[in-house]
Amino acid sequence: MTAIKRINTFILGVFKMLFAFLFVLDPEGGVDVILWVLAFSLLLYGIKMFVYYLSLARHMNGGLTVLYRAAVIFDLGLFALKMLNFPVMYLMIYLAILHGFDGTAAVLKALESKRLEAPSWKLAFFYGVLNVFIAFLCLLFHRSVNTAVLIYAFGLLYSGIINVVQSIRKTASIYVQ
C-alpha cells in the first residue's frame, strides 16, 4: 500500500468511527442520515468503478465484471436514495442484504487467501463473519428504529477500526531485480 493510500484509508477509518459515535449519540435522527450516507457512498463508489472501467479495466481480462459490479453498485445507491420514503423495516432488510452479501464475499475471499497461504486471511475472515452476524441482527430487530441505527453504527465503527488497522499494518513487498 502506498503512503497516500495509507493516509486516505486512515482518514476514512477515522471518519467512519466519528459517524458511528454520532449515530450512537442521536439514534432518532440517524435513519435519514444513514440513508443519505449509504446512498451517496454507493453512488460515488459506482461512479469510481465506472471511471476505472473506462480508463483501465476494459483492456484487462475480466474487465467486464468491473462494469457489471459498477452498474449494480450504482443501482444500489439509487435504490437507497429512493428508500427515503419507505418504512424502517425495509431499510433494515436492505442493510441486512448489503451486510450479508459483503460478509459472504469477505469470508469466501478469506478462505481462498487461506488456501493460498496468505498471512492476513484471519482479519478478512473475522470481518466477513461479523458482517454476516450484523446481517442476522438486522433481520432479527427489523422493526426498531433505535436498534437499526445502533446496528449500523456498530458496523460502521467496526469498518472504521478495520480501515485504521489496515493503514497501520505492514504489507509485504515483492522486489524484482
Side-chain angles (χ1 to χ4, degrees), residues 102-125:
D102 188 36
T104 304
V107 166
L108 291 174
K109 185 177 178 183
L111 291 176
E112 184 177 351
S113 295
K114 180 184 179 187
R115 188 178 55 84
L116 296 173
E117 298 175 4
S120 64
W121 69 271
K122 293 175 187 171
L123 186 64
F125 183 78

PDB file of all heavy atoms in Angstrom, residues 102-125:
ATOM      1  N   ASP A 102     -21.788  -8.614   1.608  1.00  0.00           N
ATOM      2  CA  ASP A 102     -20.409  -8.208   1.853  1.00  0.00           C
ATOM      3  C   ASP A 102     -19.695  -9.216   2.743  1.00  0.00           C
ATOM      4  O   ASP A 102     -18.531  -9.563   2.507  1.00  0.00           O
ATOM      5  CB  ASP A 102     -20.382  -6.813   2.486  1.00  0.00           C
ATOM      6  CG  ASP A 102     -18.991  -6.247   2.594  1.00  0.00           C
ATOM      7  OD1 ASP A 102     -18.165  -6.484   1.692  1.00  0.00           O
ATOM      8  OD2 ASP A 102     -18.708  -5.553   3.601  1.00  0.00           O
ATOM      9  N   GLY A 103     -20.378  -9.702   3.762  1.00  0.00           N
ATOM     10  CA  GLY A 103     -19.780 -10.679   4.663  1.00  0.00           C
ATOM     11  C   GLY A 103     -19.488 -12.001   3.983  1.00  0.00           C
ATOM     12  O   GLY A 103     -18.426 -12.594   4.172  1.00  0.00           O
ATOM     13  N   THR A 104     -20.425 -12.471   3.173  1.00  0.00           N
ATOM     14  CA  THR A 104     -20.214 -13.729   2.456  1.00  0.00           C
ATOM     15  C   THR A 104     -19.047 -13.608   1.477  1.00  0.00           C
ATOM     16  O   THR A 104     -18.208 -14.515   1.388  1.00  0.00           O
ATOM     17  CB  THR A 104     -21.493 -14.131   1.704  1.00  0.00           C
ATOM     18  OG1 THR A 104     -22.575 -14.198   2.638  1.00  0.00           O
ATOM     19  CG2 THR A 104     -21.333 -15.465   1.030  1.00  0.00           C
ATOM     20  N   ALA A 105     -18.981 -12.493   0.775  1.00  0.00           N
ATOM     21  CA  ALA A 105     -17.866 -12.283  -0.157  1.00  0.00           C
ATOM     22  C   ALA A 105     -16.535 -12.221   0.590  1.00  0.00           C
ATOM     23  O   ALA A 105     -15.521 -12.772   0.125  1.00  0.00           O
ATOM     24  CB  ALA A 105     -18.088 -11.011  -0.963  1.00  0.00           C
ATOM     25  N   ALA A 106     -16.516 -11.569   1.758  1.00  0.00           N
ATOM     26  CA  ALA A 106     -15.277 -11.466   2.535  1.00  0.00           C
ATOM     27  C   ALA A 106     -14.848 -12.833   3.073  1.00  0.00           C
ATOM     28  O   ALA A 106     -13.654 -13.154   3.080  1.00  0.00           O
ATOM     29  CB  ALA A 106     -15.456 -10.478   3.680  1.00  0.00           C
ATOM     30  N   VAL A 107     -15.809 -13.644   3.517  1.00  0.00           N
ATOM     31  CA  VAL A 107     -15.468 -14.981   4.011  1.00  0.00           C
ATOM     32  C   VAL A 107     -14.910 -15.843   2.886  1.00  0.00           C
ATOM     33  O   VAL A 107     -13.893 -16.540   3.056  1.00  0.00           O
ATOM     34  CB  VAL A 107     -16.701 -15.653   4.670  1.00  0.00           C
ATOM     35  CG1 VAL A 107     -16.479 -17.139   4.875  1.00  0.00           C
ATOM     36  CG2 VAL A 107     -17.025 -14.985   5.990  1.00  0.00           C
ATOM     37  N   LEU A 108     -15.541 -15.802   1.713  1.00  0.00           N
ATOM     38  CA  LEU A 108     -15.052 -16.592   0.586  1.00  0.00           C
ATOM     39  C   LEU A 108     -13.660 -16.141   0.155  1.00  0.00           C
ATOM     40  O   LEU A 108     -12.789 -16.961  -0.157  1.00  0.00           O
ATOM     41  CB  LEU A 108     -16.033 -16.512  -0.573  1.00  0.00           C
ATOM     42  CG  LEU A 108     -17.372 -17.220  -0.355  1.00  0.00           C
ATOM     43  CD1 LEU A 108     -18.312 -16.936  -1.515  1.00  0.00           C
ATOM     44  CD2 LEU A 108     -17.179 -18.693  -0.146  1.00  0.00           C
ATOM     45  N   LYS A 109     -13.443 -14.833   0.158  1.00  0.00           N
ATOM     46  CA  LYS A 109     -12.125 -14.313  -0.210  1.00  0.00           C
ATOM     47  C   LYS A 109     -11.080 -14.709   0.831  1.00  0.00           C
ATOM     48  O   LYS A 109      -9.947 -15.047   0.486  1.00  0.00           O
ATOM     49  CB  LYS A 109     -12.202 -12.789  -0.340  1.00  0.00           C
ATOM     50  CG  LYS A 109     -10.936 -12.148  -0.820  1.00  0.00           C
ATOM     51  CD  LYS A 109     -11.115 -10.656  -0.990  1.00  0.00           C
ATOM     52  CE  LYS A 109      -9.833  -9.989  -1.433  1.00  0.00           C
ATOM     53  NZ  LYS A 109      -9.977  -8.536  -1.522  1.00  0.00           N
ATOM     54  N   ALA A 110     -11.452 -14.688   2.108  1.00  0.00           N
ATOM     55  CA  ALA A 110     -10.521 -15.080   3.162  1.00  0.00           C
ATOM     56  C   ALA A 110     -10.185 -16.562   3.082  1.00  0.00           C
ATOM     57  O   ALA A 110      -9.030 -16.954   3.294  1.00  0.00           O
ATOM     58  CB  ALA A 110     -11.111 -14.751   4.533  1.00  0.00           C
ATOM     59  N   LEU A 111     -11.172 -17.390   2.779  1.00  0.00           N
ATOM     60  CA  LEU A 111     -10.902 -18.820   2.643  1.00  0.00           C
ATOM     61  C   LEU A 111      -9.981 -19.102   1.459  1.00  0.00           C
ATOM     62  O   LEU A 111      -9.116 -19.980   1.526  1.00  0.00           O
ATOM     63  CB  LEU A 111     -12.214 -19.593   2.514  1.00  0.00           C
ATOM     64  CG  LEU A 111     -13.069 -19.631   3.788  1.00  0.00           C
ATOM     65  CD1 LEU A 111     -14.385 -20.331   3.525  1.00  0.00           C
ATOM     66  CD2 LEU A 111     -12.310 -20.283   4.934  1.00  0.00           C
ATOM     67  N   GLU A 112     -10.153 -18.338   0.384  1.00  0.00           N
ATOM     68  CA  GLU A 112      -9.243 -18.500  -0.743  1.00  0.00           C
ATOM     69  C   GLU A 112      -7.840 -18.021  -0.376  1.00  0.00           C
ATOM     70  O   GLU A 112      -6.845 -18.634  -0.769  1.00  0.00           O
ATOM     71  CB  GLU A 112      -9.756 -17.736  -1.960  1.00  0.00           C
ATOM     72  CG  GLU A 112      -8.902 -17.953  -3.180  1.00  0.00           C
ATOM     73  CD  GLU A 112      -9.441 -17.261  -4.419  1.00  0.00           C
ATOM     74  OE1 GLU A 112     -10.566 -16.739  -4.376  1.00  0.00           O
ATOM     75  OE2 GLU A 112      -8.730 -17.257  -5.429  1.00  0.00           O
ATOM     76  N   SER A 113      -7.756 -16.943   0.392  1.00  0.00           N
ATOM     77  CA  SER A 113      -6.447 -16.455   0.835  1.00  0.00           C
ATOM     78  C   SER A 113      -5.775 -17.474   1.748  1.00  0.00           C
ATOM     79  O   SER A 113      -4.559 -17.655   1.701  1.00  0.00           O
ATOM     80  CB  SER A 113      -6.595 -15.129   1.577  1.00  0.00           C
ATOM     81  OG  SER A 113      -7.056 -14.132   0.716  1.00  0.00           O
ATOM     82  N   LYS A 114      -6.572 -18.146   2.585  1.00  0.00           N
ATOM     83  CA  LYS A 114      -6.013 -19.191   3.450  1.00  0.00           C
ATOM     84  C   LYS A 114      -5.489 -20.351   2.608  1.00  0.00           C
ATOM     85  O   LYS A 114      -4.428 -20.907   2.892  1.00  0.00           O
ATOM     86  CB  LYS A 114      -7.058 -19.688   4.431  1.00  0.00           C
ATOM     87  CG  LYS A 114      -6.545 -20.760   5.351  1.00  0.00           C
ATOM     88  CD  LYS A 114      -7.624 -21.306   6.243  1.00  0.00           C
ATOM     89  CE  LYS A 114      -7.039 -22.406   7.116  1.00  0.00           C
ATOM     90  NZ  LYS A 114      -8.056 -23.084   7.881  1.00  0.00           N
ATOM     91  N   ARG A 115      -6.247 -20.710   1.579  1.00  0.00           N
ATOM     92  CA  ARG A 115      -5.818 -21.796   0.699  1.00  0.00           C
ATOM     93  C   ARG A 115      -4.506 -21.455   0.000  1.00  0.00           C
ATOM     94  O   ARG A 115      -3.658 -22.311  -0.221  1.00  0.00           O
ATOM     95  CB  ARG A 115      -6.909 -22.089  -0.327  1.00  0.00           C
ATOM     96  CG  ARG A 115      -6.658 -23.327  -1.169  1.00  0.00           C
ATOM     97  CD  ARG A 115      -7.793 -23.603  -2.130  1.00  0.00           C
ATOM     98  NE  ARG A 115      -8.117 -22.485  -3.000  1.00  0.00           N
ATOM     99  CZ  ARG A 115      -7.487 -22.203  -4.142  1.00  0.00           C
ATOM    100  NH1 ARG A 115      -6.497 -22.951  -4.540  1.00  0.00           N
ATOM    101  NH2 ARG A 115      -7.855 -21.176  -4.877  1.00  0.00           N
ATOM    102  N   LEU A 116      -4.323 -20.164  -0.311  1.00  0.00           N
ATOM    103  CA  LEU A 116      -3.088 -19.710  -0.954  1.00  0.00           C
ATOM    104  C   LEU A 116      -1.996 -19.367   0.056  1.00  0.00           C
ATOM    105  O   LEU A 116      -0.939 -18.861  -0.317  1.00  0.00           O
ATOM    106  CB  LEU A 116      -3.375 -18.493  -1.833  1.00  0.00           C
ATOM    107  CG  LEU A 116      -4.304 -18.732  -3.007  1.00  0.00           C
ATOM    108  CD1 LEU A 116      -4.650 -17.424  -3.703  1.00  0.00           C
ATOM    109  CD2 LEU A 116      -3.689 -19.716  -3.985  1.00  0.00           C
ATOM    110  N   GLU A 117      -2.282 -19.621   1.336  1.00  0.00           N
ATOM    111  CA  GLU A 117      -1.354 -19.395   2.451  1.00  0.00           C
ATOM    112  C   GLU A 117      -0.943 -17.940   2.600  1.00  0.00           C
ATOM    113  O   GLU A 117       0.210 -17.624   2.885  1.00  0.00           O
ATOM    114  CB  GLU A 117      -0.127 -20.305   2.312  1.00  0.00           C
ATOM    115  CG  GLU A 117      -0.461 -21.777   2.352  1.00  0.00           C
ATOM    116  CD  GLU A 117       0.739 -22.669   2.102  1.00  0.00           C
ATOM    117  OE1 GLU A 117       1.860 -22.140   1.974  1.00  0.00           O
ATOM    118  OE2 GLU A 117       0.540 -23.884   2.044  1.00  0.00           O
ATOM    119  N   ALA A 118      -1.894 -17.038   2.418  1.00  0.00           N
ATOM    120  CA  ALA A 118      -1.641 -15.611   2.655  1.00  0.00           C
ATOM    121  C   ALA A 118      -1.697 -15.344   4.158  1.00  0.00           C
ATOM    122  O   ALA A 118      -2.495 -15.946   4.878  1.00  0.00           O
ATOM    123  CB  ALA A 118      -2.678 -14.770   1.930  1.00  0.00           C
ATOM    124  N   PRO A 119      -0.858 -14.439   4.646  1.00  0.00           N
ATOM    125  CA  PRO A 119      -0.794 -14.233   6.097  1.00  0.00           C
ATOM    126  C   PRO A 119      -1.975 -13.454   6.697  1.00  0.00           C
ATOM    127  O   PRO A 119      -2.246 -13.571   7.882  1.00  0.00           O
ATOM    128  CB  PRO A 119       0.509 -13.452   6.279  1.00  0.00           C
ATOM    129  CG  PRO A 119       0.715 -12.761   4.980  1.00  0.00           C
ATOM    130  CD  PRO A 119       0.137 -13.668   3.937  1.00  0.00           C
ATOM    131  N   SER A 120      -2.686 -12.683   5.927  1.00  0.00           N
ATOM    132  CA  SER A 120      -3.706 -11.809   6.500  1.00  0.00           C
ATOM    133  C   SER A 120      -5.138 -12.312   6.276  1.00  0.00           C
ATOM    134  O   SER A 120      -6.062 -11.530   6.210  1.00  0.00           O
ATOM    135  CB  SER A 120      -3.558 -10.407   5.915  1.00  0.00           C
ATOM    136  OG  SER A 120      -3.801 -10.452   4.531  1.00  0.00           O
ATOM    137  N   TRP A 121      -5.336 -13.605   6.185  1.00  0.00           N
ATOM    138  CA  TRP A 121      -6.660 -14.130   5.914  1.00  0.00           C
ATOM    139  C   TRP A 121      -7.550 -14.071   7.142  1.00  0.00           C
ATOM    140  O   TRP A 121      -8.774 -13.985   7.024  1.00  0.00           O
ATOM    141  CB  TRP A 121      -6.592 -15.552   5.371  1.00  0.00           C
ATOM    142  CG  TRP A 121      -6.128 -16.567   6.376  1.00  0.00           C
ATOM    143  CD1 TRP A 121      -4.856 -16.942   6.642  1.00  0.00           C
ATOM    144  CD2 TRP A 121      -6.961 -17.323   7.248  1.00  0.00           C
ATOM    145  NE1 TRP A 121      -4.819 -17.879   7.622  1.00  0.00           N
ATOM    146  CE2 TRP A 121      -6.109 -18.140   8.014  1.00  0.00           C
ATOM    147  CE3 TRP A 121      -8.331 -17.391   7.463  1.00  0.00           C
ATOM    148  CZ2 TRP A 121      -6.591 -19.008   8.976  1.00  0.00           C
ATOM    149  CZ3 TRP A 121      -8.813 -18.267   8.418  1.00  0.00           C
ATOM    150  CH2 TRP A 121      -7.947 -19.061   9.164  1.00  0.00           C
ATOM    151  N   LYS A 122      -6.980 -14.090   8.340  1.00  0.00           N
ATOM    152  CA  LYS A 122      -7.772 -14.145   9.571  1.00  0.00           C
ATOM    153  C   LYS A 122      -8.585 -12.868   9.776  1.00  0.00           C
ATOM    154  O   LYS A 122      -9.755 -12.925  10.176  1.00  0.00           O
ATOM    155  CB  LYS A 122      -6.866 -14.391  10.773  1.00  0.00           C
ATOM    156  CG  LYS A 122      -6.231 -15.753  10.760  1.00  0.00           C
ATOM    157  CD  LYS A 122      -5.256 -15.907  11.899  1.00  0.00           C
ATOM    158  CE  LYS A 122      -4.511 -17.222  11.750  1.00  0.00           C
ATOM    159  NZ  LYS A 122      -3.424 -17.338  12.692  1.00  0.00           N
ATOM    160  N   LEU A 123      -7.985 -11.716   9.512  1.00  0.00           N
ATOM    161  CA  LEU A 123      -8.693 -10.454   9.679  1.00  0.00           C
ATOM    162  C   LEU A 123      -9.851 -10.349   8.695  1.00  0.00           C
ATOM    163  O   LEU A 123     -10.957  -9.941   9.069  1.00  0.00           O
ATOM    164  CB  LEU A 123      -7.724  -9.282   9.488  1.00  0.00           C
ATOM    165  CG  LEU A 123      -8.281  -7.892   9.760  1.00  0.00           C
ATOM    166  CD1 LEU A 123      -8.666  -7.753  11.216  1.00  0.00           C
ATOM    167  CD2 LEU A 123      -7.274  -6.834   9.370  1.00  0.00           C
ATOM    168  N   ALA A 124      -9.633 -10.761   7.463  1.00  0.00           N
ATOM    169  CA  ALA A 124     -10.711 -10.730   6.469  1.00  0.00           C
ATOM    170  C   ALA A 124     -11.806 -11.727   6.824  1.00  0.00           C
ATOM    171  O   ALA A 124     -12.998 -11.448   6.639  1.00  0.00           O
ATOM    172  CB  ALA A 124     -10.146 -11.035   5.078  1.00  0.00           C
ATOM    173  N   PHE A 125     -11.440 -12.885   7.352  1.00  0.00           N
ATOM    174  CA  PHE A 125     -12.431 -13.883   7.752  1.00  0.00           C
ATOM    175  C   PHE A 125     -13.282 -13.355   8.901  1.00  0.00           C
ATOM    176  O   PHE A 125     -14.507 -13.480   8.897  1.00  0.00           O
ATOM    177  CB  PHE A 125     -11.735 -15.184   8.146  1.00  0.00           C
ATOM    178  CG  PHE A 125     -12.683 -16.290   8.503  1.00  0.00           C
ATOM    179  CD1 PHE A 125     -13.333 -17.000   7.514  1.00  0.00           C
ATOM    180  CD2 PHE A 125     -12.925 -16.612   9.825  1.00  0.00           C
ATOM    181  CE1 PHE A 125     -14.208 -18.016   7.830  1.00  0.00           C
ATOM    182  CE2 PHE A 125     -13.799 -17.620  10.151  1.00  0.00           C
ATOM    183  CZ  PHE A 125     -14.446 -18.327   9.153  1.00  0.00           C
TER     184      PHE A 125
END
